Amino acid sequence: MAFILLAVLGGGAYFGYNKVKGFFTAADYDGAGTGPVQVTVAPGSTLTDIGNTLVDADVIKSTKAFTNAAEKDPRSKNIQNGTYNLKKQMSAKNAMAALLDPKNRVTSGVTIPEGSTTMQIYALLSKATKIPVKDFQAAAKDPGALGVQSWWFNRRDHKAAQKSIEGFLFPDTYEFDPKMTADQILKTMVDRFNTQVGDLGFVDKVQSTLAVSPFEGLIVASLTQAESGTNADMPKIARVAYNRAYKNHMPLQFDTTANYWIQLNGGKAKFSGKLTGSELDDPKNPYNTVSKLGLPPGPINNPGKSALQGAMSPAAGPWLYFVVIDKAGNSAFATTNDEHNANVQKACHNGIPLC
């Protein structure tokens, strides 16, 4: 019985020792390593967690050797989560250096331009990550699962809100881990949106100073993004949208909403001067702003920071019209139709194809 008991205790000690992966010894490999291997550092990993992961992949010989190397290198606190190209049987010091070298971090970098529609974003993401577009479309069917709070889809103008992910995928430059799924990628973009609107105080500002819902403010931001040629004009364009939709109760008459509907149905966007009357005033188009009053059902793109700022802090003014008047993208604003027509003639004189 005594021998059996000693055997059991000895086995337990062995497995317990193996569990902590050599933490009580500083066994280490020598050199830069042998064959290639990919290792993923999970978000929130401690140095011990990272060491254990490296031992599991046979990158290093012991966690203790790795934590010892970390103590000697103050940069060890800068190890990012993600997937890395490493080698098997590296010294702990070399493994540490490899994790701190950005060249070894495997990412799918992609820049999402401001004002991109979800359709355009899915295409960009698919090209960068090799994930099929249909996977992103499927992931986007439930905005709530991606981090969009349900209260976003409330409106104060008595219109139904279009519950989609459009407007919530913040345009920015991203580096996605190659092991991320379509759901995780879109959630990362929604998280970035939530952070941005939180930092701006967007929700409270539009509700308290403009008396509209955050969703309506987001719609105006998307319209502003689509219609503006310069960031400087965004607060004025947002004011035109608010004046028309709420103060004067008239159709917005924005060409960009017709283009959005065309794209939703598989077509290509057209220059405003090329849109036909039936395309601009399609009775089947819920985003028709030529003859339908008020804001469309939802955002028509994913606006950037400047457009969000313009929508939450519109310029003060009575304007009801605007038009791009030069090739630099600057707009002229008017209160009356006669003033607007004069601005259109100025645009034509400057080579803008409106006449």
Side-chain angles (χ1 to χ4, degrees):
M1 288 296 294
F3 282 116
I4 293 172
L5 181 60
L6 287 172
V8 171
L9 291 174
Y14 170 79
F15 286 114
Y17 172 82
N18 192 49
K19 180 71 174 176
V20 295
K21 304 175 178 68
F23 192 84
F24 296 105
T25 63
D28 201 359
Y29 290 124
D30 292 324
T34 56
V37 63
Q38 280 195 343
V39 176
T40 298
V41 176
S45 294
T46 64
L47 289 169
T48 299
D49 293 333
I50 297 172
N52 288 342
T53 299
L54 296 178
V55 169
D56 284 338
D58 196 27
V59 173
I60 60 173
K61 199 166 188 178
S62 71
T63 299
K64 183 62 175 174
F66 183 76
T67 56
N68 285 347
E71 289 175 1
K72 297 175 182 178
D73 192 336
R75 298 178 304 155
S76 62
K77 297 178 181 178
N78 299 327
I79 296 176
Q80 300 180 52
N81 62 280
T83 298
Y84 292 83
N85 286 323
L86 302 175
K87 292 184 178 180
K88 289 190 174 183
Q89 299 184 359
M90 305 176 74
S91 70
K93 182 179 179 180
N94 282 331
M96 176 65 67
L99 289 171
L100 292 169
D101 187 344
K103 294 179 181 178
N104 294 321
R105 189 165 179 263
V106 184
T107 60
S108 297
V110 57
T111 297
I112 307 299
E114 295 179 346
S116 298
T117 65
T118 54
M119 298 158 284
Q120 294 167 332
I121 290 174
Y122 300 156
L124 289 170
L125 293 175
S126 180
K127 183 178 180 180
T129 65
K130 310 307 178 187
I131 297 173
V133 168
K134 63 181 179 62
D135 289 8
F136 291 105
Q137 293 171 330
K141 288 183 178 179
D142 184 1
L146 299 175
V148 180
Q149 298 295 314
S150 60
W151 52 261
W152 268 105
F153 299 109
N154 294 324
R155 296 183 65 150
R156 295 182 179 180
D157 60 358
H158 308 294
K159 286 189 172 187
Q162 178 64 43
K163 294 183 179 181
S164 82
I165 203 66
E166 193 79 77
F168 298 97
L169 300 177
F170 192 76
D172 205 345
T173 296
Y174 294 88
E175 289 188 353
F176 296 116
D177 187 281
K179 295 185 179 180
M180 291 178 74
T181 64
D183 300 67
Q184 292 170 328
I185 288 171
L186 295 186
K187 188 177 187 306
T188 297
M189 298 180 71
V190 172
D191 288 344
R192 188 76 57 88
F193 169 85
N194 288 333
T195 298
Q196 287 293 327
V197 295
D199 291 344
L200 291 173
F202 181 86
V203 172
D204 291 338
K205 186 70 179 290
V206 298
Q207 291 185 123
S208 61
T209 64
L210 300 173
V212 301
S213 73
F215 191 65
E216 291 163 78
L218 182 60
I219 294 172
V220 171
S222 75
L223 295 169
T224 297
Q225 184 76 70
E227 294 282 345
S228 175
T230 67
N231 287 352
D233 284 335
M234 287 183 174
K236 285 187 175 182
I237 292 175
R239 175 53 65 191
V240 170
Y242 287 124
N243 284 347
R244 280 182 164 266
Y246 297 98
K247 186 175 181 180
N248 291 73
H249 304 287
M250 58 194 298
L252 295 178
Q253 297 188 327
F254 287 0
D255 296 350
T256 49
T257 59
N259 260 325
Y260 180 67
W261 179 245
I262 290 172
Q263 292 176 83
L264 276 182
N265 287 277
K268 292 184 178 181
K270 299 181 179 181
F271 181 74
S272 60
K274 300 294 183 179
L275 289 165
T276 66
S278 60
E279 288 171 331
L280 288 168
D281 195 10
D282 181 357
K284 295 180 180 179
N285 176 9
Y287 292 86
N288 178 345
T289 58
V290 170
S291 58
K292 295 183 179 181
L293 298 176
L295 300 180
I300 63 170
N301 58 45
N302 294 272
K305 182 177 179 180
S306 294
L308 291 168
Q309 290 173 318
M312 65 184 275
S313 301
W319 312 291
L320 296 174
Y321 306 88
F322 65 91
V323 64
V324 174
I325 58 167
D326 60 38
K327 294 182 179 180
N330 296 300
S331 294
F333 296 81
T335 304
T336 68
N337 194 49
D338 287 342
E339 292 172 345
H340 177 61
N341 287 335
N343 288 334
V344 170
Q345 292 303 314
K346 186 183 297 184
C348 294
H349 179 74
N350 289 335
I352 305 300
L354 296 176
C355 302

